[in-house]
Amino acid sequence: MERERFRVYAQEVILTVLKMTSVQIDKLREMGDLSGVEILEEKVVIPYEKIYGALLEMKVENMSDDEFKPFEEMVEEIREKNSLSVEKVLENLEKREKLKGISGATVVKRFFKYNLNRLLDKKDKITEKYNELALEEQNLENLLKETIQEEEQFDIIYKLQPVREKLREIEQIYLSVERDINQLKRKLESKWPYEIYGVVSEEELLETYKEAFKMED
C-alpha cells in the first residue's frame, strides 16, 4: 500500500475505533455508569482524537523509511488490538470514498452547525435579557442608596429580590448554553464526531434516527 493511501487507511482505523467507543459511551450513559464514560473518554477518546488530528496534518511523503515504518506498525497494532480486520477497514474506506458529500457525516456536520447557530442566537438573547435585568438592578440599588424613608427602602428591597433571583437563573442558563456551544465548537474543530458517520448514507442515518424515535415512543 503506497504511503498516502496508508495514511488514509490509518484514519479509517482510528475513526472506526472512535465510532465503536462512542457507541460504548452512549450505552454507559444510558446505564448511568458515569465512571465508565470517564474512563473511556480519558483512555480512548482523548488519545485517539489526538492521533486522528495528527493524521489529518501528516505529510507522509516527507517521512524517511525509518520514520514511516514505526507509524505503520503503530496503526496495525491499534487495528489488531481493537479486533478490526484489514478487510473491514478497507470496506469502510471504500464506502467513505463512495459516499463523500452524501454520507451521514454531511448530515451530522450540518446538524452540529445548525445547533451551534441556534445556541449562539439563544446566547445573544440571554445576554440581552441579562443586561436589561442588570440595569434594572443597578437603578434600584442607586434608588435605595438615595432613599431615606425606611418604608420606601423596604419597598425597593422588595422589588430588588425578584430581579436578583432572575439574574441568578439567567446566569445558570447562560453557563449551560455556553457549555453546549463550546462542546459543539470542539466537535466541529476535531471533525471525528461527524466523520465517524461517513460510512453510511444520508438515507441510512436518517432511517436509523426514525427507528430510534419510534422505539422511544
Side-chain angles (χ1 to χ4, degrees):
M1 195 182 295
E2 62 98 15
R3 286 189 175 190
E4 179 57 24
R5 185 64 177 171
F6 187 82
R7 184 187 69 81
V8 178
Y9 164 89
Q11 286 178 205
E12 198 61 51
V13 169
I14 302 303
L15 284 172
T16 305
V17 175
L18 285 167
K19 172 62 175 174
M20 294 189 303
T21 306
S22 293
V23 171
Q24 288 179 291
I25 287 174
D26 288 342
K27 288 179 179 177
L28 289 172
R29 279 207 177 101
E30 287 177 12
M31 295 165 55
D33 187 355
L34 298 182
S35 63
V37 170
E38 189 176 337
I39 289 169
L40 281 179
E41 287 181 340
E42 183 181 338
K43 301 293 184 182
V44 182
V45 174
I46 292 175
Y48 278 59
E49 179 180 87
K50 288 179 180 177
I51 293 172
Y52 181 69
L55 286 170
L56 293 175
E57 302 296 327
M58 186 178 284
K59 305 294 182 185
V60 288
E61 67 274 11
N62 297 331
M63 296 171 71
S64 66
D65 290 341
D66 289 340
E67 290 171 327
F68 190 74
K69 186 171 179 57
F71 163 59
E72 280 184 303
E73 292 173 349
M74 178 199 73
V75 172
E76 290 305 309
E77 184 180 335
I78 291 172
R79 180 184 61 75
E80 292 171 6
K81 178 183 175 183
N82 289 277
S83 303
L84 297 173
S85 68
V86 174
E87 291 74 20
K88 181 61 179 176
V89 177
L90 291 175
E91 180 187 334
N92 283 347
L93 187 54
E94 185 178 344
K95 285 180 182 177
R96 184 178 298 280
E97 291 170 345
K98 182 180 178 181
L99 293 168
K100 188 174 182 180
I102 55 169
S103 72
T106 305
V107 175
V108 176
K109 183 180 181 181
R110 191 187 305 135
F111 177 72
F112 286 164
K113 285 185 174 180
Y114 168 80
N115 268 345
L116 178 59
N117 289 331
R118 182 179 61 82
L119 286 169
L120 288 170
D121 183 57
K122 185 176 181 180
K123 178 183 172 182
D124 287 342
K125 290 177 180 175
I126 292 169
T127 302
E128 184 179 343
K129 183 62 178 176
Y130 181 89
N131 290 338
E132 288 175 4
L133 286 167
L135 180 60
E136 184 179 351
E137 179 190 40
Q138 187 62 57
N139 289 337
L140 286 169
E141 286 177 347
N142 290 340
L143 188 60
L144 183 62
K145 291 175 185 176
E146 296 167 1
T147 302
I148 300 172
Q149 295 296 326
E150 187 174 348
E151 186 177 340
E152 291 180 1
Q153 287 179 342
F154 281 130
D155 185 53
I156 295 168
I157 291 169
Y158 181 77
K159 291 178 181 178
L160 259 174
Q161 185 178 352
V163 172
R164 286 172 173 167
E165 285 177 0
K166 287 178 183 177
L167 278 170
R168 283 194 293 270
E169 287 174 9
I170 288 178
E171 283 174 0
Q172 292 305 311
I173 295 170
Y174 180 91
L175 290 173
S176 177
V177 170
E178 183 74 3
R179 183 170 59 250
D180 290 343
I181 286 171
N182 290 336
Q183 286 177 351
L184 279 170
K185 282 182 176 180
R186 187 171 177 276
K187 285 179 178 180
L188 285 165
E189 287 168 3
S190 54
K191 297 184 179 181
W192 73 263
Y194 60 84
E195 287 295 349
I196 57 177
Y197 298 99
V199 295
V200 295
S201 67
E202 293 182 13
E203 292 77 12
E204 285 178 281
L205 183 67
L206 292 172
E207 192 60 37
T208 300
Y209 276 108
K210 285 178 186 176
E211 290 300 318
F213 286 132
K214 284 180 186 177
M215 287 175 66
E216 287 178 5
D217 293 339

